[in-house]
Amino acid sequence: MSRKPTKSDAAKSKPASKPVEVVGQTLERAFDPLTSAIKRAALKRADKLAHAFDREPQPAGSAAPAKVDKSAMPVSPLAVPFPEMKPIAGVQLAVGRAGFYKHERDDLMVMSFPDGASAAGVFTRHGVGSAPVDWCKRHLEATKGEGARALVVNAGCANSFTGKPGADAVRRVAAGVAKRFDCRQRDVMVASTGVIGVLLDDAKITHRLPDLEQKLSADNWAAAARAIMTTDTFPKGSYAEATIDGTTVRIGGICKGSGMIAPDMATMLAFVVTDAAISPGALQNLCNLYTRNTFNAVTVDGDRSTNDTLLLFATGQSGAPRISRAGDRRLADFRDKLEGVLMDLAHQLVRDGEGATKFIKITVTGAETAASARKIAKSIADSPLVKTAFAGEDANWGRIVMAVGKADEPVDRDSISVRFGDLWAAQDGLIAPSYNEAKMSAYMKKPELEVTVDVGVGRASSTVWTCDLTKRYVEINGDYRS
């Protein structure tokens, strides 16, 4: 994809033939009646479908459907306050209302970055990835992460399972942003979240770009976090400061996600920015390294999203020396703080699990390998029977043992032990001699719980975080398109 021409380019000799883009535009105009009709019909269907999702069932005798303000859902009892986030040199943010929701709320967010910024990303492994995911993966590979200039994110429409029309919509969004920010289309990252199967009406975004460009501010993190929410009940952010070779650098990030959370890189989107100067290769290595035990170690319902995206940007505006290797000793403090920010954001996804009332840490020890321990831990964390037992505040260790066995990993049945906090439920394959129902019941009433399972065949371990499964989860997802 060609870059936007500059004044100096205009002064050069004229090319012998028209650029590919001009030829393409000429052909598009030639077929304009047909393509326009197809686009209008597709957008009309998409708009009708999207609006249908905002309606409640009508009470008997009512004259008109009532609007549903999903932003008014009760805040999760496990919510944490949005942190104080200082401006990060080189990044500016703006939010606005594109109109993907009928009720009044911001649903569009833009970030801008300076020349020379680096970018890295980790994306869903879902077999039906979205058009925005395809765009980001393709252009990060093409640019090797060099020169990221902008990010645009919309809520209310996932633009997934929308075929070529969806891909074309993403391209038009990127083209519009590139024009406003005087950069190449491939330097624009795009992300979407919302209902799957609805075509993105890109005009709703591009028409808002002039206004958003005027509203860009370095101190807009909380508004940005709110703008990308869907069924989230609270905005999610994290901030830290680190030292690189004596210079203080800042790391800040926001994310969204509440249901369809089981990343394997939920609808999960996360965007993290630092003012450190880190090469794209090193940034990508850090992104890969710390995703495994943060975003890939949480689950709400075991369902992966088509749109899962983590993008990490480095503006290089802190004044710290440029680092080209992820293992550079000068990055030691930065690595720790970056992992902390990613972990904090990942935990907030679980805390906002749809209908969640319990935040649960599950650790498996004594496994043959770390991969085996991880598989067993996720089997426990994703089990509906285990999760509903937590919702009922029932220390049903039999269900946990069931989930251990169905993972089909090596275990020693006669050595399995299960502990809730400091209380033993089972030891050496039997109910623990010290088991006390009253103490266990009292422990299960806590909002934050820990379960440790030793499977008795090795020395490897793994930890996964999850939440309970309540009636509210069924209500939220049963009404999602109603």
Side-chain angles (χ1 to χ4, degrees):
M1 193 171 294
S2 62
R3 65 180 176 83
K4 183 177 179 181
T6 63
K7 292 181 179 179
S8 61
D9 292 330
K12 297 178 182 178
S13 60
K14 294 182 179 180
S17 60
K18 292 183 178 181
V20 174
E21 289 89 341
V22 175
V23 175
Q25 290 168 5
T26 302
L27 290 173
E28 190 174 81
R29 284 195 295 270
F31 292 105
D32 184 67
L34 176 61
T35 56
S36 296
I38 293 173
K39 180 183 176 185
R40 284 196 302 270
L43 291 177
K44 185 175 181 180
R45 289 194 301 272
D47 191 56
K48 181 178 179 181
L49 185 59
H51 286 172
F53 300 158
D54 287 330
R55 294 197 293 268
E56 284 185 323
Q58 289 182 244
S62 61
K67 293 181 181 179
V68 180
D69 184 354
K70 292 183 173 63
S71 65
M73 289 192 297
V75 175
S76 168
L78 304 170
V80 295
F82 195 83
E84 179 183 349
M85 295 181 64
K86 298 178 182 178
I88 295 175
V91 61
Q92 292 189 310
L93 310 91
V95 302
R97 186 187 179 210
F100 292 107
Y101 294 93
K102 271 196 169 182
H103 53 276
E104 291 286 342
R105 59 153 288 180
D106 289 332
D107 55 9
L108 182 61
M109 185 271 289
V110 170
M111 287 189 191
S112 71
F113 310 104
D115 287 332
S118 300
V122 180
F123 305 90
T124 183
R125 296 181 185 177
H126 198 286
V128 187
S130 68
V133 166
D134 290 346
W135 175 274
C136 290
K137 290 171 67 175
R138 182 168 69 251
H139 292 295
L140 276 179
E141 182 177 354
T143 64
K144 306 301 182 186
E146 295 277 7
R149 291 294 308 280
L151 165 69
V152 57
V153 185
N154 74 273
C157 176
N159 196 21
S160 177
F161 201 58
T162 50
K164 187 177 184 300
D168 290 341
V170 170
R171 176 181 53 77
R172 287 190 292 266
V173 169
V177 175
K179 183 177 180 180
R180 301 302 312 184
F181 290 86
D182 193 24
C183 65
R184 303 170 299 183
Q185 292 182 28
R186 68 182 187 177
D187 296 332
V188 178
M189 296 291 101
V190 180
S192 299
T193 181
V195 177
I196 295 170
V198 178
L199 177 64
L200 181 72
D201 185 350
D202 51 279
K204 289 185 175 182
I205 296 176
T206 54
H207 288 170
R208 295 291 294 163
L209 292 177
D211 180 50
L212 265 64
E213 186 180 19
Q214 297 301 315
K215 294 164 60 177
L216 285 168
S217 167
D219 192 15
N220 224 359
W221 286 100
R226 286 191 294 270
I228 63 176
M229 291 165 51
T230 50
T231 58
D232 305 60
T233 68
F234 66 92
K236 303 167 184 66
S238 187
Y239 175 85
E241 294 184 357
T243 300
I244 297 178
D245 202 26
T247 300
T248 298
V249 300
R250 295 174 175 177
I251 308 168
I254 56 175
C255 74
K256 64 82 48 185
S258 183
M260 204 183 290
I261 300 293
D264 192 4
M265 7 157 233
T267 45
M268 187 215 83
L269 301 180
F271 310 109
V272 180
V273 184
T274 178
D275 55 8
I278 301 176
S279 71
L283 205 64
Q284 186 64 58
N285 287 337
L286 292 172
C287 201
N288 295 341
L289 177 64
Y290 294 124
T291 298
R292 177 173 177 78
N293 292 322
T294 58
F295 289 111
N296 281 3
V298 298
T299 177
V300 167
D301 47 22
D303 284 333
R304 273 191 277 163
S305 167
T306 57
N307 291 53
D308 287 346
T309 297
L310 164 63
L311 288 170
L312 178 58
F313 301 93
T315 69
Q317 301 293 297
S318 65
R322 182 175 174 85
I323 306 295
S324 59
R325 293 187 306 106
D328 192 307
R329 288 183 299 175
R330 293 172 293 177
L331 274 186
D333 187 43
F334 179 87
R335 288 193 296 264
D336 288 344
K337 299 298 174 52
L338 174 63
E339 183 178 22
V341 166
L342 299 183
M343 184 71 82
D344 185 17
L345 293 174
H347 285 183
Q348 290 183 51
L349 296 177
V350 175
R351 289 181 175 278
D352 202 17
E354 290 169 338
T357 65
K358 307 287 185 183
F359 178 77
I360 307 154
K361 177 182 179 180
I362 296 175
T363 301
V364 171
T365 62
E368 272 195 353
T369 65
S372 179
R374 182 184 183 84
K375 186 177 178 181
I376 296 169
K378 294 201 76 171
S379 178
I380 297 169
D382 284 335
S383 167
L385 286 176
V386 172
K387 293 162 76 68
T388 50
F390 281 117
E393 299 181 340
D394 177 15
N396 192 332
W397 58 270
R399 291 185 178 182
I400 291 175
V401 172
M402 173 278 300
V404 169
K406 77 184 180 78
D408 292 328
E409 290 294 316
V411 301
D412 182 349
R413 182 190 63 186
D414 297 329
S415 298
I416 292 176
S417 298
V418 180
R419 192 174 75 242
F420 290 74
D422 294 328
L423 304 173
W424 289 101
Q427 289 178 296
D428 298 325
L430 297 169
I431 188 169
S434 61
Y435 183 84
N436 184 299
E437 184 71 30
K439 290 182 179 180
M440 195 68 78
S441 295
Y443 177 77
M444 294 299 292
K445 294 185 182 302
K446 296 182 177 183
E448 300 189 16
L449 305 170
E450 292 190 27
V451 176
T452 304
V453 180
D454 191 290
V455 296
V457 293
R459 303 180 66 177
S461 64
S462 184
T463 298
V464 169
W465 289 267
T466 190
C467 59
D468 54 346
L469 183 62
T470 68
K471 294 178 182 179
R472 182 64 179 148
Y473 179 89
V474 178
E475 293 171 359
I476 292 170
N477 286 282
D479 292 341
Y480 188 57
R481 298 204 318 159
S482 299

